[in-house]
Amino acid sequence: MKKALLATLIVSPLIFGCVSTNDSAGSIDRAKIIKELTTKMDDLGYDSVKIQPGVDEFLNVSAAILKRQRNVMEQYRQLRLNHTDVQAFLAAHQGKTDEELKKAIVDFDAGATNQDEKIAHKLTAYNAASEKIVDSNIQLATDLTVEIAKSTYILSQHGTAVAKATAMNSVGSLLSSFSSDDKKKDDSKDLGKALLKAKDQLSLAMDANEIISIEQDTIEQIEKLQAEQEAKG
């Protein structure tokens, strides 16, 4: 159910481009992507603004969503750091069927010299922690879908300001390559730039959301194996 819901929510491209996260869970360097996304998020920032009534709410919600997604991504990063043995086990047995994975777990635990070395109970703990993160991620996917839909309308209503800001950004990038002047114009009240920033905030949040959603495949397989074990008593 969760996977189906999440898939429905994240496939809407609208006006945003996402990182290439359609690969299988093990074929992308998620740690590297998470680090890069976190840096980009922090560079954009999460500050609230007060520029124009009717638009401010959208701008501030976009910033708040990015901050929430950043927090969830950090939880996900910590999960992976705290369960390196589980990650290594899953990576070693990536792509195996349920029966093959079940056998791999039994064989691994059979070779353990003590309870702490066994992997089955660690998979259970990993799965429980992952569930909470994925649940938060699904809620964020819902909120992102709503805000991205809003952004399509709002950006179209302020097309002139957005076009001007886009042009100024291009000129600014060009001039910065020829100038060492560190003085920058305060554009915190510029509506066009604020809208472009909100668009980027939602895009980055969607990228992070998609990265974490890949974990749902692993969670579902582990849950299925646990259910079979419980059914056997």
Side-chain angles (χ1 to χ4, degrees):
M1 177 66 74
K2 291 176 184 175
K3 183 180 179 183
L5 172 61
L6 190 57
T8 301
L9 293 171
I10 68 175
V11 294
S12 304
L14 296 176
I15 58 174
F16 296 89
C18 293
V19 294
S20 179
T21 58
N22 293 323
D23 308 77
S24 64
S27 64
I28 60 174
D29 188 345
R30 280 182 284 181
K32 180 181 178 181
I33 294 176
I34 286 172
K35 182 178 179 180
E36 292 173 348
L37 286 175
T38 300
T39 299
K40 290 179 181 178
M41 287 177 172
D42 291 342
D43 286 344
L44 268 181
Y46 320 94
D47 295 336
S48 60
V49 298
K50 190 174 183 180
I51 299 176
Q52 180 173 310
V55 181
D56 288 346
E57 181 181 2
F58 163 71
L59 297 174
N60 293 328
V61 168
S62 296
I65 284 178
L66 183 66
K67 181 66 173 179
R68 286 168 55 202
Q69 188 69 62
R70 203 262 193 214
N71 291 339
V72 170
M73 193 164 62
E74 176 60 21
Q75 293 172 26
Y76 178 64
R77 189 183 73 83
Q78 289 296 328
L79 172 74
R80 292 174 64 82
L81 286 175
N82 294 334
H83 295 271
T84 54
D85 47 356
V86 173
Q87 291 291 321
F89 179 85
L90 293 174
H93 300 285
Q94 177 199 343
K96 289 191 174 181
T97 65
D98 293 344
E99 288 302 316
E100 290 171 336
L101 183 59
K102 187 190 303 181
K103 183 177 184 303
I105 293 171
V106 172
D107 290 345
F108 187 95
D109 285 358
T113 59
N114 56 61
Q115 183 65 19
D116 189 56
E117 289 182 359
K118 292 184 178 182
I119 200 69
H121 69 95
K122 294 180 181 180
L123 283 167
T124 300
Y126 177 85
N127 198 62
S130 295
E131 276 279 17
K132 295 179 180 179
I133 292 172
V134 169
D135 285 345
S136 296
N137 208 52
I138 289 173
Q139 181 57 57
L140 275 163
T142 303
D143 296 343
L144 273 166
T145 301
V146 172
E147 293 307 311
I148 289 173
K150 287 182 183 177
S151 73
T152 305
Y153 173 77
I154 292 175
L155 267 68
S156 69
Q157 292 299 299
H158 299 278
T160 301
V162 171
K164 181 180 177 181
T166 302
M168 290 183 68
N169 283 347
S170 298
V171 172
S173 297
L174 178 63
L175 292 177
S176 66
S177 64
F178 296 101
S179 173
S180 59
D181 187 2
D182 291 331
K183 294 181 180 179
K184 295 182 179 180
K185 175 186 174 184
D186 180 13
D187 55 13
S188 60
K189 297 293 184 180
D190 187 303
L191 178 61
K193 287 183 179 294
L195 287 169
L196 288 178
K197 179 178 179 178
K199 176 177 175 290
D200 288 342
Q201 287 172 325
L202 294 176
S203 181
L204 281 176
M206 183 64 82
D207 289 345
N209 195 276
E210 199 172 350
I211 281 290
I212 298 173
S213 73
I214 296 173
E215 197 71 15
Q216 184 65 19
D217 291 327
T218 301
I219 291 173
E220 289 187 345
Q221 188 173 28
I222 296 174
E223 282 182 340
K224 185 175 181 181
L225 294 179
Q226 290 173 337
E228 290 177 0
Q229 289 300 111
E230 291 173 1
K232 291 179 180 178

